[in-house]
């Protein structure tokens, strides 16, 4: 009935919550990238390529990369994975805060941690449901990669036929996760260090 409040705003809240919880990952990734650029070996230009370009830089870095660079890449990937999962752990609570337009609470990470600590057992269930949706989406992208240029039309159609039911399942898992998070709030809101509902006066008091 209301596209703005029922579709646009929840979509903005979802992306906003994800961005907020991934701020540490973005900062860590920027630091690691800066460190990798400062320690990367000078690119060796392949023969016959007088002017530097992206292909030459990649080829040079690949030729000069040794075990140390590979080990650094694995450690960087592990660090980014841990920070991403850590940020995802706070996503259900941040979604609740944004859904009630209590954006000011995002400036109090200590309250968010206290709230999660007060209901950590049921909260863990909501987080696992959310991770299940992420896992299904990741598997869909891994098992059925995006079509490549020049592929026959029949193969592209086959990919889409496989992707559609998997992504539909992923959407169902996400909807279930959102439902679980909402029910957790209804049952355990009295344990949170704040009240998210907007306080309104009784009609007879106005």
């Amino acid at each position: 009935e209301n596209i703005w409040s029922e579709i646009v705003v929840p979509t903005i809240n979802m992306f906003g919550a994800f961005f907020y919880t991934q701020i540490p990952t973005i900062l860590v990734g920027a630091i690691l990238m800066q460190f990798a650029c400062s320690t990367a070996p000078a690119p060796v230009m392949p023969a016959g390529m007088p002017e530097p370009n992206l292909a030459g830089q990649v080829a040079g870095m690949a030729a000069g990369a040794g075990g140390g660079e590979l080990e650094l890449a694995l450690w960087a990937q592990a660090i980014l994975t841990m920070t991403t999962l850590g940020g995802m752990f706070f996503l259900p609570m941040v979604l609740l805060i944004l859904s009630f337009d209590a954006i000011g609470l995002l400036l109090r990470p200590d309250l968010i941690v206290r709230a999660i600590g007060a209901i950590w057992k049921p909260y863990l269930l909501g987080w696992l449901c959310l991770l299940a949706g992420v896992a299904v989406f990741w598997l869909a992208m891994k098992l059925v990669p995006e079509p490549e240029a020049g592929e026959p039309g029949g193969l592209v159609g086959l990919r889409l036929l496989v992707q559609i039911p998997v992504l539909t399942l992923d959407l169902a898992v996400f909807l279930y996760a959102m439902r679980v998070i909402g029910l957790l709030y209804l049952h355990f809101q009295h344990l949170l260090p704040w009240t998210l509902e907007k306080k309104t006066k009784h009609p007879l008091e106005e």
Side-chain angles (χ1 to χ4, degrees):
E1 297 178 357
N2 191 328
I3 295 178
W4 174 256
S5 63
E6 297 180 5
I7 297 179
V8 177
V9 172
T11 302
I12 294 175
N13 285 340
M14 184 68 184
F15 283 103
F18 184 79
F19 176 79
Y20 175 83
T21 57
Q22 295 306 314
I23 289 177
T25 303
I26 296 173
L27 295 177
V28 171
I31 294 173
L32 291 175
M33 183 174 295
Q34 182 68 25
F35 179 74
C37 292
S38 63
T39 58
V44 179
M45 301 305 299
M49 192 175 296
E51 296 183 359
N53 56 31
L54 181 60
Q57 293 177 10
V58 172
M61 292 180 68
E69 287 76 11
L70 177 60
E71 184 179 356
L72 175 63
L74 294 177
W75 272 106
Q77 185 176 5
I79 293 173
L80 290 176
T81 299
M82 288 188 294
T83 54
T84 300
L85 291 177
M88 287 287 294
F89 182 73
F90 295 93
L91 186 58
M93 189 62 69
V94 174
L95 282 173
L96 279 176
I97 291 173
L98 292 180
S99 64
F100 285 100
D101 297 327
I103 191 171
L105 291 173
L106 298 182
L107 300 177
R108 295 290 307 274
D110 58 317
L111 286 181
I112 298 177
V113 173
R114 283 173 52 192
I116 295 175
I119 57 171
W120 70 271
K121 287 184 179 180
Y123 185 86
L124 188 61
L125 174 62
W127 181 61
L128 291 176
C129 291
L130 205 60
L131 282 186
V134 175
V136 173
F137 181 80
W138 182 80
L139 287 175
M141 295 298 101
K142 284 293 183 181
L143 297 178
V144 189
E146 293 294 329
E148 299 179 358
E151 283 188 347
L155 185 57
V156 174
L158 181 61
R159 288 179 185 270
L160 292 176
L161 286 178
V162 176
Q163 274 191 342
I164 289 175
V166 175
L167 293 179
T168 302
L169 172 63
D170 183 53
L171 178 61
V173 174
F174 268 118
L175 290 175
Y176 179 76
M178 296 299 105
R179 179 63 174 167
V180 168
I181 294 171
L183 291 175
L184 289 178
Y185 175 75
L186 290 177
H187 285 280
F188 298 100
Q189 57 180 314
H190 62 283
L191 298 176
L192 301 180
W194 62 72
T195 301
L196 290 178
E197 286 89 348
K198 296 179 180 179
K199 296 181 179 179
T200 57
K201 293 184 178 180
H202 191 276
L204 296 178
E205 298 176 348
E206 296 180 353

